[in-house]
Structures are given as C-alpha cells and as structure tokens.
Short mmCIF file of all heavy atoms in Angstrom, two decimals:
data_model
loop_
_atom_site.label_atom_id
_atom_site.label_comp_id
_atom_site.label_asym_id
_atom_site.label_seq_id
_atom_site.Cartn_x
_atom_site.Cartn_y
_atom_site.Cartn_z
N VAL A 501 3.05 46.52 3.13
CA VAL A 501 2.65 46.35 4.60
C VAL A 501 2.49 47.73 5.12
O VAL A 501 3.04 48.73 4.60
CB VAL A 501 3.74 45.78 5.41
CG1 VAL A 501 5.07 46.51 5.39
CG2 VAL A 501 3.23 45.43 6.82
N GLN A 502 1.49 47.92 6.05
CA GLN A 502 1.30 49.22 6.74
C GLN A 502 2.29 49.63 7.74
O GLN A 502 3.08 48.70 8.13
CB GLN A 502 -0.09 49.19 7.41
CG GLN A 502 -1.32 49.09 6.49
CD GLN A 502 -2.53 49.13 7.21
OE1 GLN A 502 -2.68 48.89 8.45
NE2 GLN A 502 -3.74 49.41 6.52
N ALA A 503 2.53 50.83 7.85
CA ALA A 503 3.42 51.37 8.84
C ALA A 503 3.29 50.72 10.21
O ALA A 503 2.10 50.62 10.69
CB ALA A 503 3.41 52.89 9.06
N GLY A 504 4.30 50.28 10.87
CA GLY A 504 4.22 49.52 12.08
C GLY A 504 4.08 47.98 11.98
O GLY A 504 4.29 47.33 12.99
N GLY A 505 3.99 47.61 10.75
CA GLY A 505 3.86 46.20 10.58
C GLY A 505 5.21 45.50 10.44
O GLY A 505 6.17 46.08 10.71
N SER A 506 5.12 44.18 10.03
CA SER A 506 6.41 43.36 10.06
C SER A 506 6.46 42.59 8.72
O SER A 506 5.36 42.21 8.07
CB SER A 506 6.36 42.38 11.11
OG SER A 506 6.46 43.12 12.43
N LEU A 507 7.58 42.27 8.24
CA LEU A 507 7.83 41.35 7.15
C LEU A 507 9.14 40.58 7.48
O LEU A 507 10.08 41.01 8.22
CB LEU A 507 8.06 42.14 5.78
CG LEU A 507 6.83 42.59 5.11
CD1 LEU A 507 7.17 43.50 3.93
CD2 LEU A 507 5.90 41.53 4.80
N ARG A 508 9.29 39.43 6.92
CA ARG A 508 10.50 38.62 6.99
C ARG A 508 10.98 38.22 5.52
O ARG A 508 10.10 37.57 4.75
CB ARG A 508 10.25 37.31 7.83
CG ARG A 508 11.61 36.50 7.96
CD ARG A 508 11.52 35.25 8.84
NE ARG A 508 10.83 34.15 7.97
CZ ARG A 508 10.83 32.83 8.27
NH1 ARG A 508 11.54 32.56 9.42
NH2 ARG A 508 10.37 32.09 7.44
N LEU A 509 12.10 38.69 5.23
CA LEU A 509 12.74 38.45 3.84
C LEU A 509 13.66 37.12 4.05
O LEU A 509 14.25 37.00 5.07
CB LEU A 509 13.47 39.61 3.48
CG LEU A 509 12.90 40.98 3.41
CD1 LEU A 509 13.78 41.98 2.92
CD2 LEU A 509 11.56 40.94 2.63
N SER A 510 13.69 36.43 2.93
CA SER A 510 14.51 35.22 2.89
C SER A 510 15.44 35.37 1.78
O SER A 510 15.07 35.88 0.71
CB SER A 510 13.69 33.92 2.77
OG SER A 510 12.74 33.82 3.82
N CYS A 511 16.65 34.73 1.98
CA CYS A 511 17.60 34.63 0.93
C CYS A 511 18.26 33.28 0.80
O CYS A 511 18.91 32.88 1.76
CB CYS A 511 18.79 35.74 1.16
SG CYS A 511 20.11 35.63 -0.04
N VAL A 512 17.89 32.57 -0.20
CA VAL A 512 18.35 31.23 -0.41
C VAL A 512 19.63 31.15 -1.21
O VAL A 512 19.61 31.81 -2.21
CB VAL A 512 17.32 30.28 -1.01
CG1 VAL A 512 17.76 28.80 -1.19
CG2 VAL A 512 16.03 30.27 -0.11
N VAL A 513 20.65 30.52 -0.63
CA VAL A 513 22.01 30.38 -1.28
C VAL A 513 22.12 29.02 -1.85
O VAL A 513 21.95 28.12 -1.20
CB VAL A 513 23.03 30.84 -0.28
CG1 VAL A 513 24.41 30.76 -0.97
CG2 VAL A 513 22.85 32.17 0.35
N SER A 514 22.52 28.92 -3.21
CA SER A 514 22.81 27.71 -3.73
C SER A 514 24.17 27.88 -4.64
O SER A 514 24.73 28.94 -4.64
CB SER A 514 21.69 27.30 -4.67
OG SER A 514 21.37 28.17 -5.67
N GLY A 515 24.51 26.72 -5.45
CA GLY A 515 25.76 26.76 -6.02
C GLY A 515 27.02 26.50 -5.08
O GLY A 515 26.76 25.91 -4.09
N ARG A 516 28.13 26.85 -5.59
CA ARG A 516 29.28 26.58 -4.80
C ARG A 516 29.40 27.75 -3.73
O ARG A 516 29.52 28.97 -4.06
CB ARG A 516 30.55 26.74 -5.71
CG ARG A 516 30.59 25.40 -6.67
CD ARG A 516 31.88 25.42 -7.51
NE ARG A 516 32.07 24.17 -8.32
CZ ARG A 516 33.04 23.89 -9.01
NH1 ARG A 516 34.14 24.74 -9.11
NH2 ARG A 516 33.10 22.89 -9.81
N THR A 517 29.22 27.32 -2.51
CA THR A 517 29.29 28.27 -1.48
C THR A 517 30.27 27.82 -0.45
O THR A 517 30.83 26.66 -0.40
CB THR A 517 27.93 28.44 -0.67
OG1 THR A 517 27.48 27.19 -0.27
CG2 THR A 517 26.88 28.85 -1.75
N SER A 518 30.52 28.75 0.52
CA SER A 518 31.56 28.55 1.57
C SER A 518 31.02 29.04 2.91
O SER A 518 30.23 30.12 2.98
CB SER A 518 32.97 29.28 1.30
OG SER A 518 33.77 29.12 2.43
N SER A 519 31.19 28.37 3.96
CA SER A 519 30.77 28.67 5.23
C SER A 519 31.51 29.88 5.76
O SER A 519 31.06 30.40 6.77
CB SER A 519 30.92 27.50 6.28
OG SER A 519 32.21 27.12 6.34
N SER A 520 32.62 30.34 5.15
CA SER A 520 33.41 31.47 5.52
C SER A 520 32.70 32.75 4.96
O SER A 520 33.20 33.91 5.36
CB SER A 520 34.82 31.33 5.06
OG SER A 520 34.95 31.29 3.70
N TYR A 521 31.74 32.60 4.04
CA TYR A 521 31.22 33.81 3.39
C TYR A 521 30.42 34.71 4.47
O TYR A 521 29.78 34.00 5.33
CB TYR A 521 30.27 33.44 2.26
CG TYR A 521 30.92 33.08 1.00
CD1 TYR A 521 32.25 32.80 0.93
CD2 TYR A 521 30.05 32.77 -0.22
CE1 TYR A 521 32.77 32.39 -0.34
CE2 TYR A 521 30.69 32.35 -1.31
CZ TYR A 521 32.12 32.19 -1.43
OH TYR A 521 32.54 31.80 -2.60
N VAL A 522 30.44 35.91 4.28
CA VAL A 522 29.67 36.79 5.11
C VAL A 522 28.46 37.24 4.26
O VAL A 522 28.56 37.41 3.20
CB VAL A 522 30.46 38.20 5.49
CG1 VAL A 522 29.48 39.11 6.15
CG2 VAL A 522 31.57 37.84 6.48
N MET A 523 27.31 37.09 4.91
CA MET A 523 25.99 37.39 4.35
C MET A 523 25.56 38.84 4.69
O MET A 523 25.64 39.13 5.91
CB MET A 523 25.03 36.28 4.55
CG MET A 523 25.45 34.92 4.16
SD MET A 523 25.75 34.79 2.39
CE MET A 523 24.16 35.36 1.67
N GLY A 524 25.14 39.63 3.78
CA GLY A 524 24.59 40.92 4.01
C GLY A 524 23.33 41.28 3.34
O GLY A 524 22.85 40.54 2.36
N TRP A 525 22.57 42.20 3.82
CA TRP A 525 21.53 42.79 3.23
C TRP A 525 21.69 44.30 3.07
O TRP A 525 22.18 44.97 3.70
CB TRP A 525 20.24 42.65 4.21
CG TRP A 525 19.65 41.27 4.25
CD1 TRP A 525 20.06 40.29 5.24
CD2 TRP A 525 18.64 40.67 3.40
NE1 TRP A 525 19.19 39.22 5.01
CE2 TRP A 525 18.56 39.44 3.81
CE3 TRP A 525 18.01 41.08 2.27
CZ2 TRP A 525 17.50 38.43 3.28
CZ3 TRP A 525 17.22 40.25 1.61
CH2 TRP A 525 16.96 38.92 2.18
N PHE A 526 21.32 44.62 1.66
CA PHE A 526 21.43 46.05 1.38
C PHE A 526 19.98 46.45 0.84
O PHE A 526 19.21 45.58 0.59
CB PHE A 526 22.44 46.31 0.31
CG PHE A 526 23.89 46.14 0.74
CD1 PHE A 526 24.36 44.91 0.98
CD2 PHE A 526 24.62 47.17 0.99
CE1 PHE A 526 25.67 44.78 1.42
CE2 PHE A 526 25.88 47.09 1.40
CZ PHE A 526 26.46 45.89 1.75
N ARG A 527 19.73 47.73 0.63
CA ARG A 527 18.47 48.26 -0.02
C ARG A 527 18.65 49.56 -0.74
O ARG A 527 19.70 50.23 -0.39
CB ARG A 527 17.45 48.64 1.25
CG ARG A 527 17.75 49.73 2.05
CD ARG A 527 16.78 49.82 3.13
NE ARG A 527 17.04 50.94 3.99
CZ ARG A 527 16.34 51.21 5.11
NH1 ARG A 527 15.34 50.44 5.51
NH2 ARG A 527 16.78 52.29 5.92
N GLN A 528 17.79 49.78 -1.69
CA GLN A 528 17.88 50.80 -2.50
C GLN A 528 16.49 51.37 -2.74
O GLN A 528 15.75 50.73 -3.33
CB GLN A 528 18.62 50.57 -3.90
CG GLN A 528 18.85 51.68 -4.77
CD GLN A 528 19.85 51.43 -5.98
OE1 GLN A 528 19.98 50.21 -6.33
NE2 GLN A 528 20.42 52.34 -6.46
N ALA A 529 16.31 52.60 -2.40
CA ALA A 529 15.01 53.41 -2.62
C ALA A 529 15.24 54.24 -3.92
O ALA A 529 16.36 54.55 -4.42
CB ALA A 529 14.78 54.28 -1.52
N PRO A 530 14.09 54.53 -4.59
CA PRO A 530 14.10 55.24 -5.79
C PRO A 530 14.88 56.55 -5.72
O PRO A 530 14.67 57.31 -4.79
CB PRO A 530 12.67 55.45 -6.08
CG PRO A 530 11.89 54.32 -5.47
CD PRO A 530 12.69 54.08 -4.15
N GLY A 531 15.78 56.82 -6.57
CA GLY A 531 16.54 57.95 -6.74
C GLY A 531 17.63 58.14 -5.51
O GLY A 531 18.37 59.16 -5.47
N LYS A 532 17.86 57.06 -4.82
CA LYS A 532 18.91 57.07 -3.83
C LYS A 532 19.91 55.89 -4.01
O LYS A 532 19.76 55.06 -4.81
CB LYS A 532 18.32 56.73 -2.42
CG LYS A 532 17.31 57.79 -1.91
CD LYS A 532 16.80 57.58 -0.48
CE LYS A 532 15.96 58.77 -0.14
NZ LYS A 532 15.42 58.48 1.32
N GLU A 533 21.09 55.98 -3.36
CA GLU A 533 22.12 55.06 -3.54
C GLU A 533 21.78 53.84 -2.70
O GLU A 533 21.08 53.98 -1.71
CB GLU A 533 23.49 55.67 -3.00
CG GLU A 533 24.06 56.93 -3.75
CD GLU A 533 24.52 56.56 -5.19
OE1 GLU A 533 25.00 55.44 -5.30
OE2 GLU A 533 24.27 57.37 -6.07
N ARG A 534 22.30 52.75 -3.07
CA ARG A 534 22.18 51.56 -2.30
C ARG A 534 23.05 51.73 -1.03
O ARG A 534 24.09 52.04 -1.02
CB ARG A 534 22.76 50.37 -3.20
CG ARG A 534 22.56 48.88 -2.64
CD ARG A 534 22.94 47.88 -3.48
NE ARG A 534 22.22 47.93 -4.76
CZ ARG A 534 22.47 46.98 -5.75
NH1 ARG A 534 23.35 46.03 -5.61
NH2 ARG A 534 21.65 47.15 -6.81
N GLU A 535 22.36 51.22 0.01
CA GLU A 535 22.86 51.34 1.35
C GLU A 535 22.83 50.04 2.17
O GLU A 535 21.97 49.19 1.91
CB GLU A 535 21.98 52.44 2.20
CG GLU A 535 20.67 52.15 2.40
CD GLU A 535 19.91 53.10 3.30
OE1 GLU A 535 20.61 54.01 3.83
OE2 GLU A 535 18.66 53.03 3.43
N PHE A 536 23.78 49.96 3.09
CA PHE A 536 23.95 48.91 3.86
C PHE A 536 22.76 48.81 4.93
O PHE A 536 22.41 49.73 5.42
CB PHE A 536 25.33 48.89 4.55
CG PHE A 536 25.49 47.81 5.66
CD1 PHE A 536 25.81 46.59 5.30
CD2 PHE A 536 25.29 48.18 7.07
CE1 PHE A 536 26.01 45.61 6.30
CE2 PHE A 536 25.41 47.19 8.00
CZ PHE A 536 25.84 45.95 7.71
N VAL A 537 22.30 47.46 5.20
CA VAL A 537 21.27 47.27 6.19
C VAL A 537 21.74 46.41 7.32
O VAL A 537 21.77 46.83 8.50
CB VAL A 537 20.08 46.66 5.61
CG1 VAL A 537 18.95 46.33 6.62
CG2 VAL A 537 19.45 47.60 4.51
N ALA A 538 22.16 45.21 6.98
CA ALA A 538 22.72 44.38 8.03
C ALA A 538 23.70 43.22 7.50
O ALA A 538 23.52 42.91 6.35
CB ALA A 538 21.52 43.55 8.74
N ALA A 539 24.49 42.61 8.29
CA ALA A 539 25.40 41.51 7.87
C ALA A 539 25.65 40.64 9.03
O ALA A 539 25.74 41.06 10.18
CB ALA A 539 26.63 42.12 7.29
N ARG A 540 25.92 39.26 8.70
CA ARG A 540 26.51 38.35 9.56
C ARG A 540 27.24 37.17 8.94
O ARG A 540 26.95 37.01 7.79
CB ARG A 540 25.42 37.89 10.51
CG ARG A 540 24.32 36.99 9.86
CD ARG A 540 23.42 36.08 10.91
NE ARG A 540 24.49 35.35 11.72
CZ ARG A 540 24.29 35.20 13.02
NH1 ARG A 540 23.35 35.76 13.69
NH2 ARG A 540 25.22 34.45 13.66
N ASN A 541 27.83 36.41 9.62
CA ASN A 541 28.46 35.30 9.08
C ASN A 541 27.56 33.92 9.42
O ASN A 541 26.49 34.08 9.84
CB ASN A 541 29.83 34.96 9.60
CG ASN A 541 29.92 34.75 11.19
OD1 ASN A 541 29.00 34.26 11.76
ND2 ASN A 541 30.94 35.42 11.76
N TRP A 542 28.00 32.84 8.93
CA TRP A 542 27.15 31.63 9.00
C TRP A 542 27.36 30.89 10.44
O TRP A 542 26.58 30.08 10.71
CB TRP A 542 27.56 30.69 7.99
CG TRP A 542 27.16 31.08 6.62
CD1 TRP A 542 27.94 31.58 5.65
CD2 TRP A 542 25.77 30.89 6.12
NE1 TRP A 542 27.01 31.79 4.51
CE2 TRP A 542 25.71 31.39 4.75
CE3 TRP A 542 24.64 30.21 6.69
CZ2 TRP A 542 24.63 31.35 4.06
CZ3 TRP A 542 23.36 30.28 5.78
CH2 TRP A 542 23.49 30.81 4.53
N TRP A 543 28.44 31.28 11.21
CA TRP A 543 28.71 30.38 12.35
C TRP A 543 28.33 31.09 13.71
O TRP A 543 28.40 30.45 14.72
CB TRP A 543 30.09 29.97 12.32
CG TRP A 543 31.16 31.21 12.44
CD1 TRP A 543 31.76 31.74 13.38
CD2 TRP A 543 31.66 31.78 11.19
NE1 TRP A 543 32.60 32.74 13.02
CE2 TRP A 543 32.59 32.73 11.51
CE3 TRP A 543 31.52 31.58 9.84
CZ2 TRP A 543 33.29 33.60 10.76
CZ3 TRP A 543 32.22 32.44 8.91
CH2 TRP A 543 33.17 33.43 9.48
N GLY A 544 28.29 32.37 13.70
CA GLY A 544 27.98 33.14 14.95
C GLY A 544 28.68 34.47 14.99
O GLY A 544 29.01 35.06 13.98
N GLY A 545 28.97 34.96 16.22
CA GLY A 545 29.38 36.27 16.41
C GLY A 545 28.42 37.34 16.34
O GLY A 545 27.26 37.11 16.29
N SER A 546 28.75 38.66 16.48
CA SER A 546 28.00 39.70 16.38
C SER A 546 27.65 40.21 15.06
O SER A 546 28.49 40.43 14.33
CB SER A 546 28.59 40.87 17.37
OG SER A 546 28.87 40.49 18.63
#
C-alpha cells in the first residue's frame, strides 16, 4: 500500500479457545525486535 493508505488485517482463531483470552497484534521489521502494536479482550473494555 502507498503511504497514507489503509489496510485491514484479520486473525481467525480456531481450536480450543476461551473467551477470557486477550488478543494482541505485534509486528517485526527487518533487523528489529518484535514490538507490541495493540491488544484487547473479547468482551469489551479499553
């Protein structure tokens, strides 16, 4: 995508799961450490 554009990433969860799990997104650029991006639970909150 060009700078200024948008994308939507999806993460499908299967297998044995729990609604109490927290879901997060991380990213890793070449030559860099993996870093935190965002996180939330399944039911609400901030």
Side-chain angles (χ1 to χ4, degrees):
V501 64
Q502 293 182 339
S506 301
L507 283 175
R508 188 181 73 165
L509 306 183
S510 300
C511 176
V512 178
V513 182
S514 61
R516 294 187 178 182
T517 61
S518 171
S519 61
S520 66
Y521 285 8
V522 170
M523 301 301 301
W525 286 95
F526 291 77
R527 67 185 183 185
Q528 186 168 21
K532 296 184 178 180
E533 297 291 328
R534 186 173 298 180
E535 65 176 349
F536 171 79
V537 176
R540 71 161 301 139
N541 59 39
W542 288 99
W543 60 90
S546 299

